[in-house]
Amino acid sequence: AGDKLTVSGTIYTARDAAHKRLTELIASGEELPLDIRGAAIYYAGPTPEKPGQVIGSCGPTTSGRMDAYAPGLLDRGLAVMIGKGDRNAAVMDAVRAMFTARGLGALMGSCVKAAHIVCYEDLGCEAIRELKVENMPLTVVIDSQGNDLYKSGPEAYLRSLED
């Protein structure tokens, strides 16, 4: 937790509505429209691109909104979740066996070099997209040991004030 890294390669965007549909497919025993084994999902709903752009604004949404869906997707092999904010206990339990990275801020769109809709086009900005990214800056907030920067970071900061 606290390590900084960059991601290059294929990631998928998906927000609440898409997660709900994926979870419904899992519950009904149907095939998913994409292979999430070893995949990274970025909790983002990009805005439409302007002329000459690959994608519009592409900042992360609140991760906790996907908490009801994350354990089931992790069980199916999802490897990385990128977003912002705390996660609930069920997700933390599921993460202890997985490596999870969460995203940095508002200028992520500049890291996207190609984008296309994979499924759920009717969801508009919440459709699942495949993104090709280069050097997307991330910080590991919850690591495979269950360390949580959202807890240890503020505690470390408060201790530094005492010194």
Side-chain angles (χ1 to χ4, degrees):
D3 288 351
K4 295 185 183 331
L5 59 123
T6 58
V7 171
S8 296
T10 300
I11 64 174
Y12 297 95
T13 64
R15 287 181 45 155
D16 319 49
H19 275 75
K20 182 177 187 234
R21 287 189 184 177
L22 293 172
T23 301
E24 289 168 349
L25 289 174
I26 290 168
S28 67
E30 295 180 53
E31 289 290 318
L32 298 180
L34 68 156
D35 185 1
I36 63 168
R37 290 172 298 179
I41 292 182
Y42 178 30
Y43 299 148
T47 62
E49 67 277 2
K50 293 180 179 148
Q53 290 183 320
V54 172
I55 200 166
S57 178
C58 193
T61 195
T62 303
S63 300
R65 292 168 44 188
M66 271 48 77
D67 281 358
Y69 313 113
L73 295 175
L74 289 166
D75 287 346
R76 301 287 180 302
L78 180 66
V80 177
M81 299 172 288
I82 305 167
K84 64 181 180 186
D86 286 337
R87 304 309 295 266
N88 70 23
V91 174
M92 294 294 294
D93 290 343
V95 165
R96 282 187 178 84
M98 308 289 292
F99 174 81
T100 301
R102 294 202 197 152
L104 298 173
L107 300 177
M108 303 296 260
S110 66
C111 299
V112 179
K113 304 306 176 191
H116 76 274
I117 294 176
V118 175
C119 56
Y120 308 141
E121 187 170 2
D122 64 299
L123 295 177
C125 70
E126 292 196 36
I128 296 179
R129 288 172 173 74
E130 179 182 280
L131 306 180
K132 301 293 183 188
V133 298
E134 274 184 26
N135 300 316
M136 180 179 267
L138 303 173
T139 300
V140 176
V141 177
I142 303 170
D143 66 20
S144 61
Q145 313 301 298
N147 297 309
D148 184 346
L149 195 59
Y150 284 112
K151 291 183 179 146
S152 64
E155 292 168 1
Y157 173 74
L158 292 173
R159 280 194 306 276
S160 76
L161 294 177
E162 295 171 356
D163 294 340

